[in-house]
Amino acid sequence: MLGTTLDAFAAWCAEQDLPAYRARQVYAWVFARGAADFAEMTDLPRPLRETLTERWSIRRSEVVRRREAADGTVKLLLAWPDGETSECVLIPDDDRRTACISTQVGCPVGCAFCASGLDGLRRQLSAGEIVEQVVRVRELCGEKRLTNVVVMGLGEPLANYPALVQALRIINAPWGLNIGARRITVSTVGLPAGIRKLAREGLQVNLAISLHAPDDKLRRTLIPWAEKIAIDEIVQAGREFFEITGREVTVEYVLLRGINDKVYHAHELVKVCRKMRCNVNLIRYNPVADLPFERPSSFATERFLTELRQRGVNAHLRASRGLDIDAACGQLRRSTISPPPKSPADD
Ligand code: SF4
C-alpha cells in the first residue's frame, strides 16, 4: 500500500463499491497516523478491515538490526520478504531530522571507494519499499517531525526511475508523507537523460550530483559508469535542471587522501562549477575495510574548501555522521551479510 497513490487506491475502493471517503480515511491512518496494521483502524467496519488485511499490506519489512551512533544517528537494516536487505538512516541535526534511504539492493555503479560497489546490484526496490524506509525512519522520530529525505543510500536512484518517481510523489503528497519537495534531495552519479527527465516531472526536489573528481580521466578510475558519461554532459544536464526547476544543483565530492584532494583538483573543480549554478558539498571519506582509500587530513580538507571558496564557489564541508556505526553507504549491510553475496557481475 505504501507504494500506491491515493488515486489508485480510490479506484480499487470504487471497484469494491466502497463509499468515496473510505480511500482518504484509510490513507489518513496509513500515512498521517502511521498505522502499521488495518486492525488499528477502529472507525472502519470490521469486514472492511478484514478485506484490507487479505488484499493489502502496510509493512513488508522487518527491522533486523538497529545501531545508534554517539551523535544520535540511527541506522536500520530492513529485511524484505525475499530475504534481501536495505538500510536506511535517521540523521538528527539541530531542528532537522533527515531520512537517508536506498533505491536498490546493492548498487550497479561500483564506485571504487564504496562498500556497496563491491557486491553489485541484487535487485531494484519497489516504490513501496522506498517509501517504507521513510516510514520506518519516521517512526524513530517519535513525537518529532521527520523534516527531510535524502535519496543517498544504496543504489543509483535514476537507474530505478519509475519506482523512484512514484515514491517521491508519495513522500511529497499531502495525503502521503507530506514532506515538502524542497526538503527532498535525490543524489545521482550523473545520468544525463535521467536528470533531464526528473527536471520535467513537476517535482521541485533537489538534485545532488556525485562528481568526486574534476576531470574525466580521474573520474573514470573512481566511478566505472563515468566511462560512458563525460563531465561536460552531466554539466549540460545540470544546467537544464536549473533552468527548468530553478533549483540549484549540489555537487557532491568525496575527498580521498592523495587521490582527489590536491590544490590543483580544487582549481579544476572550480572550472566545472563555473559552468552551472551549483554549490559544492565536500565529504571526508569514511574508510571501508579492504578498500585502499584513506580519509584526507584535516589540513588537506580545509585547504580544499578554502581554495573553492576563495574562487567564489559556495562550498560546505558535510559533517561525517555515525562514524562509529559504519555510516558510509553499504557498510552496515556488508557487515551483516556473510558471506558476501554473489553479484550479477560474477556470472
Ligand atoms: S557511492 Fe553510491 S553510486 Fe557509487 S557504488 Fe556506492 S552506492 Fe553506488
Side-chain angles (χ1 to χ4, degrees):
M1 174 166 278
L2 294 175
T4 304
T5 60
L6 176 61
D7 281 352
F9 183 65
W12 180 83
C13 289
E15 280 170 21
Q16 317 300 311
D17 288 328
L18 293 168
Y21 63 85
R22 285 292 185 216
R24 278 196 176 272
Q25 193 180 6
V26 172
Y27 266 41
W29 272 106
V30 170
F31 289 100
R33 300 165 84 168
D37 199 312
F38 295 108
E40 294 173 42
M41 304 179 187
T42 43
D43 54 357
L44 297 184
R46 185 189 292 266
L48 175 55
R49 280 184 262 154
E50 285 166 4
T51 308
L52 288 168
T53 307
E54 277 165 27
R55 304 288 296 275
W56 297 87
S57 61
I58 307 179
R59 300 276 189 284
R60 296 185 69 242
S61 69
E62 226 181 284
V63 178
V64 289
R65 196 161 170 193
R66 176 195 155 120
R67 296 184 72 188
E68 186 157 353
D71 64 10
T73 301
V74 182
K75 197 159 192 174
L76 298 179
L77 188 72
L78 307 182
W80 304 108
D82 65 357
E84 295 292 1
T85 55
S86 298
E87 55 192 29
C88 46
V89 187
L90 168 66
I91 306 162
D93 190 10
D94 295 331
D95 53 351
R96 269 188 193 204
R97 279 160 301 282
T98 303
C100 177
I101 58 167
S102 304
T103 48
Q104 297 178 312
V105 177
C107 182
V109 182
C111 299
F113 51 83
C114 172
S116 49
L118 296 174
D119 299 331
L121 177 68
R122 307 248 334 167
R123 73 164 170 85
Q124 304 281 26
L125 290 173
S126 66
E129 288 168 335
I130 297 170
V131 175
E132 185 160 339
Q133 295 170 66
V134 183
V135 170
R136 291 287 187 187
V137 172
R138 187 179 69 168
E139 283 166 1
L140 298 172
C141 297
E143 293 299 299
K144 293 184 176 159
R145 190 175 158 75
L146 180 73
T147 59
N148 294 64
V149 172
V150 293
V151 189
M152 288 186 181
L154 298 200
E156 165 50 52
L158 299 181
N160 186 11
Y161 193 88
L164 169 77
V165 170
Q166 171 97 338
L168 291 176
R169 293 198 190 287
I170 294 169
I171 292 165
N172 176 228
W175 50 260
L177 293 175
N178 198 19
I179 293 176
R182 286 164 186 247
R183 293 175 171 269
I184 301 172
T185 301
V186 175
S187 174
T188 172
V189 76
L191 308 187
I195 292 172
R196 292 196 170 92
K197 220 167 149 191
L198 187 64
R200 290 169 173 79
E201 292 289 350
L203 284 161
Q204 285 288 304
V205 297
N206 302 301
L207 179 73
I209 297 174
S210 299
L211 208 63
H212 306 326
D215 65 79
D216 288 322
K217 192 164 170 237
L218 176 59
R219 196 165 189 263
R220 283 171 188 152
T221 67
L222 300 174
I223 307 175
W225 283 21
E227 238 4 282
K228 292 192 185 121
I229 308 163
I231 291 175
D232 269 350
E233 288 175 62
I234 298 173
V235 166
Q236 274 307 324
R239 287 170 65 112
E240 223 173 292
F241 187 88
F242 175 74
E243 278 158 22
I244 293 171
T245 65
R247 309 295 295 151
E248 191 176 276
V249 171
T250 296
V251 169
E252 304 268 336
Y253 194 101
V254 170
L255 286 166
L256 305 159
R257 181 190 287 248
I259 307 259
N260 65 357
D261 64 346
K262 302 276 198 279
V263 170
Y264 66 88
H265 293 125
H267 293 173
E268 287 303 304
L269 183 57
V270 170
K271 288 185 197 161
V272 174
C273 291
R274 286 188 177 148
K275 294 182 193 159
M276 68 176 161
R277 273 289 288 273
C278 67
N279 58 80
V280 174
N281 228 337
L282 296 177
I283 305 129
R284 285 178 82 192
Y285 183 62
N286 278 351
V288 175
D290 304 332
L291 293 183
F293 296 96
E294 292 172 41
R295 193 168 168 79
S297 65
S298 304
F299 173 75
T301 306
E302 282 305 321
R303 184 181 59 189
F304 201 96
L305 185 63
T306 306
E307 292 291 337
L308 294 183
R309 285 182 173 164
Q310 281 178 345
R311 283 159 184 77
V313 174
N314 179 12
H316 304 276
L317 178 62
R318 197 204 292 165
S320 294
R321 301 300 305 265
L323 270 179
D324 51 332
I325 55 161
D326 296 339
C329 62
Q331 292 184 19
L332 180 68
R333 181 172 169 273
R334 265 187 78 73
S335 66
T336 305
I337 46 179
S338 176
K342 194 167 181 273
S343 77
D346 295 331
D347 293 329

